Each structure stands twice: as structure tokens, then as C-alpha cells.
């Protein structure tokens, strides 16, 4: 019977926000502009870093990776929502659903490692500034970024293999706006013991360990900043890592709201809203945070705008 149920599920229905018409209208008006701003903002940041020699530094190399990741994450997670809002079509094939789930999970895992690499970069810059250029050379930066992407892709691979073996006997309506793991598991009648072990193991290696390393980096950073005697020196040192710290808090905060809330206080509607915050708003805010709080980026942006004005004149 389980095998029969499994073979008959060839497509899913993404419920999205269709059960809340008043909320769907608001989302229809706001999501597409946010999506455009997010993609264009991150794309412009990458182009700015590539074009300005003053931004050819490790920190901006990692930020470019983060911007590219945000573009991919937003495009993957919001594509089905935008499609359903514009066309009214809510069907998604089984293969596309699993692919979307895998790519989204791998991108999220990659972001954990990438933020950890960025925290290490800030640790070296503040705690060992005289050797910063020597330690954070181009080879090390490429290695850290490549490892972040590779680990993010590989860690969730086992999870995807298990999902392909799921039997879905509780319908095919996913109460979400994209193929999200928790929502998909609610439709399965397969025993969850093995997949729960896999998810727990992936959580340890892909979430807990990077998080601990990030915290350790900032413990050393903050202790080093507090040892600086002058107020101006402390302010300058803190300004070099404040943008990254804000992004870390936003990333961990939204994921905590999505996945770590008590089961008794969770509801599908809240899960969807917090997921929308993580997939739409946070990627839009990241380039704004780094641009507004960074003098080098503002100078590069001013230079580009000034050059364009001269050309137009």
C-alpha cells in the first residue's frame, strides 16, 4: 500500500497563502518589488566589488559570495510563490519539488559555513592585524569559500536521498509557498526514525559546529576590542565587524523563529510568514547593511555614480 501511494504522488499542490485571501493580496503587492530589489541590489554589489580595485579585499570577496548566495536563495524559494501569484498555478511536480528542497537546504547550509568564514576573516583582521594580509591571502580566501559551498552541497545530499524514498499517503497538499522540509514530512507515512537521525547529524555538522566557531571568533574579537584603550580605536575596530554581526543576528534570528520555536506555539501560518521574512526580506537587507555601514563601499558607490553623471553630462 505504501508503495502504491508513493508511485501515485507525481505532483504536489503548494497551498501558499491561498487560505488567507486578505493576506495574499498584501503579499502579491509586496513580494515582487522586494524580490527585484533583493536580486538587483545583490547583483549591483557584486558588480561594484568586481569593478573597484579598492574593494579587492578578503572581506568583500566573501560578501560577494554571500550576495550571490542570496540571489540564488531568493530565486529558488520565491520562484514558486511568484509563479502562483501571477498565474494562479499551484501545482509543482515531484522532481521539481525535491530539487527545490535540496537546493534551498544546501544554500542555507552554505550560508552557515560562509558566515563562519567571514567571522574568521574578522577575527584575523582585529586580533592579528599585522599578519592579516599574509594569513588571508587569495588562496586561503578561495579555499574557505569553496569549502563553504562544497560542504553546503554535500551535507544535505543524504537527506535528499531519504526524501526520494518517502511514501506520501496523507495527500499532496503542501501547506507552504515552496517545498519546505517540515511541511513535506507531514505528508509522509514513512517511518521518520532514519531521516530524523540524518537531520540531527546534518544539524550538528552543518549548523551547530559553524555556529560555535562563529561564536568563538566573536568572543576573541570582543575581548580584543575591549582591551583597546582609546574610545576611537574601539569604535573603529568594532565598525569593521558590526555589519557582519548584524547579518549574523538576522540570519540566526529568522532561522530560530522558523525552526526552533516550541511545537506548541508553532502554526503553519507563522512558519510561512517567518520563512517569507528569511527568504525575501533578509537577502534584500544584506547589501543595504553592508553599503550603509561601510565607508569603502559608500566611496566606491559615490565614485560610480559620479562617473555616470560625468558621462551623462
Amino acid at each position: 500500500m505504501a508503495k502504491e501511494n508513493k508511485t501515485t504522488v507525481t505532483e504536489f499542490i503548494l497551498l501558499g497563502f491561498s487560505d488567507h485571501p486578505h493576506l495574499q493580496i498584501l503579499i502579491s503587492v509586496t513580494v515582487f518589488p522586494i524580490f527585484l530589489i533583493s536580486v538587483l541590489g545583490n547583483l549591483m554589489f557584486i558588480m561594484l566589488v568586481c569593478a573597484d580595485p579598492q574593494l579587492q579585499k578578503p572581506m568583500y570577496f566573501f560578501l560577494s559570495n554571500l550576495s550571490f548566495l542570496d540571489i540564488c536563495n531568493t530565486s529558488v524559494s520565491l520562484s514558486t510563490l511568484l509563479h502562483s501569484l501571477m498565474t494562479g498555478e499551484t501545482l509543482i511536480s515531484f522532481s521539481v519539488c525535491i530539487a527545490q528542497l535540496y537546493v534551498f537546504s544546501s544554500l542555507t547550509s552554505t550560508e552557515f559555513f560562509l558566515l563562519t568564514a567571514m567571522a574568521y576573516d574578522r577575527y584575523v583582521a582585529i586580533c592579528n592585524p599585522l599578519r592579516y594580509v599574509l594569513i588571508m591571502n587569495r588562496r586561503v580566501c578561495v579555499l574557505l569559500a569553496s569549502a563553504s559551498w562544497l560542504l553546503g552541497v554535500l551535507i544535505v545530499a543524504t537527506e535528499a536521498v531519504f526524501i526520494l524514498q518517502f511514501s506520501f499517503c496523507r495527500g499532496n497538499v503542501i501547506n507552504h509557498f515552496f517545498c519546505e522540509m517540515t511541511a513535506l514530512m507531514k505528508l509522509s507515512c514513512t517511518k521518520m526514525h532514519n531521516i530524523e537521525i540524518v537531520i540531527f547529524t546534518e544539524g550538528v555538522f552543518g549548523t551547530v559546529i559553524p555556529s560555535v566557531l562563529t561564536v568563538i571568533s566573536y568572543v576573541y574579537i570582543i575581548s580584543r576590542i575591549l582591551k583597546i584603550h582609546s574610545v576611537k580605536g574601539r569604535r573603529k575596530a568594532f565598525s569593521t565587524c558590526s555589519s557582519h554581526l548584524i547579518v549574523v543576528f538576522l540570519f540566526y534570528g529568522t532561522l530560530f523563529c522558523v525552526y526552533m520555536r516550541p511545537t506548541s506555539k508553532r502554526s503553519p501560518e507563522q512558519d510561512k510568514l517567518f520563512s517569507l521574512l528569511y527568504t525575501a526580506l533578509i537577502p534584500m537587507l544584506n547589501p543595504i547593511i553592508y553599503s550603509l555601514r561601510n565607508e569603502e563601499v559608500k566611496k566606491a558607490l559615490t565614485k560610480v555614480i559620479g562617473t555616470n553623471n560625468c558621462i551623462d553630462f
Side-chain angles (χ1 to χ4, degrees):
M1 185 67 180
K3 184 177 180 180
E4 181 180 344
N5 286 335
K6 181 180 177 181
T7 56
T8 54
V9 178
T10 58
E11 58 186 13
F12 294 100
I13 299 173
L14 294 173
L15 191 60
F17 298 92
S18 58
D19 52 341
H20 298 280
H22 60 287
L23 193 60
Q24 190 169 6
I25 295 172
L26 177 63
I27 291 171
S28 301
V29 175
T30 57
V31 168
F32 188 66
I34 290 176
F35 172 77
L36 282 180
I37 294 171
S38 175
V39 172
L40 293 176
N42 282 288
L43 186 60
M44 287 177 62
F45 186 86
I46 294 173
M47 294 173 64
L48 187 66
V49 171
C50 293
D52 195 306
Q54 298 299 320
L55 300 182
Q56 303 298 312
K57 299 177 181 179
M59 181 174 71
Y60 302 111
F61 171 75
F62 290 119
L63 286 176
S64 298
N65 275 266
L66 182 63
S67 290
F68 179 71
L69 186 146
D70 281 339
I71 292 173
C72 296
N73 211 344
T74 301
S75 301
V76 168
S77 56
L78 294 184
S79 58
T80 47
L81 177 60
L82 291 171
H83 178 72
S84 64
L85 290 174
M86 290 187 292
T87 65
E89 179 64 53
T90 58
L91 290 176
I92 182 172
S93 68
F94 178 84
S95 58
V96 173
C97 179
I98 300 304
Q100 184 186 48
L101 173 63
Y102 172 72
V103 174
F104 173 79
S105 299
S106 62
L107 288 172
T108 302
S109 182
T110 299
E111 189 161 359
F112 276 103
F113 290 109
L114 198 56
L115 289 175
T116 302
M118 294 168 70
Y120 175 71
D121 171 69
R122 293 299 85 204
Y123 159 76
V124 177
I126 293 174
C127 298
N128 203 348
L130 297 179
R131 300 188 62 199
Y132 177 71
V133 177
L134 180 63
I135 296 174
M136 298 303 296
N137 56 62
R138 184 173 183 81
R139 180 174 173 273
V140 171
C141 291
V142 172
L143 184 63
L144 287 173
S146 301
S148 298
W149 286 95
L150 185 62
L151 287 171
V153 170
L154 293 178
I155 276 182
V156 298
T158 308
E159 177 184 303
V161 172
F162 271 93
I163 295 171
L164 287 171
Q165 301 173 4
F166 273 10
S167 297
F168 298 97
C169 59
R170 296 171 184 162
N172 67 334
V173 179
I174 299 176
N175 193 2
H176 217 289
F177 60 85
F178 71 100
C179 288
E180 193 267 340
M181 184 63 176
T182 306
L184 196 63
M185 287 175 65
K186 291 178 180 178
L187 303 179
S188 176
C189 54
T190 303
K191 291 183 179 180
M192 294 297 168
H193 178 68
N194 290 334
I195 187 65
E196 285 174 352
I197 293 176
V198 170
I199 292 174
F200 176 79
T201 305
E202 290 174 354
V204 171
F205 286 99
T207 303
V208 176
I209 292 178
S211 302
V212 170
L213 292 175
T214 301
V215 171
I216 291 174
S217 296
Y218 271 101
V219 168
Y220 279 103
I221 288 171
I222 293 172
S223 63
R224 179 68 181 88
I225 291 175
L226 293 177
K227 292 178 182 178
I228 299 175
H229 298 294
S230 67
V231 176
K232 185 179 179 180
R234 285 199 297 267
R235 188 178 300 161
K236 183 179 179 181
F238 184 73
S239 66
T240 63
C241 62
S242 59
S243 297
H244 176 256
L245 198 56
I246 292 172
V247 170
V248 168
F249 275 122
L250 288 173
F251 175 71
Y252 280 92
T254 50
L255 283 186
F256 181 86
C257 291
V258 174
Y259 296 110
M260 301 299 292
R261 286 176 295 128
T263 307
S264 59
K265 296 183 179 180
R266 294 183 63 171
S267 70
E269 287 70 26
Q270 289 178 342
D271 287 346
K272 286 185 282 188
L273 286 175
F274 283 123
S275 294
L276 190 61
L277 179 68
Y278 166 66
T279 57
L281 195 60
I282 302 304
M284 183 190 73
L285 291 177
N286 283 348
I288 297 175
I289 292 170
Y290 280 111
S291 299
L292 293 180
R293 298 188 61 86
N294 192 295
E295 290 298 327
E296 290 180 316
V297 175
K298 286 193 284 187
K299 287 179 182 178
L301 191 58
T302 303
K303 188 190 302 182
V304 171
I305 295 173
T307 303
N308 289 337
N309 288 338
C310 291
I311 293 174
D312 292 339
F313 180 75

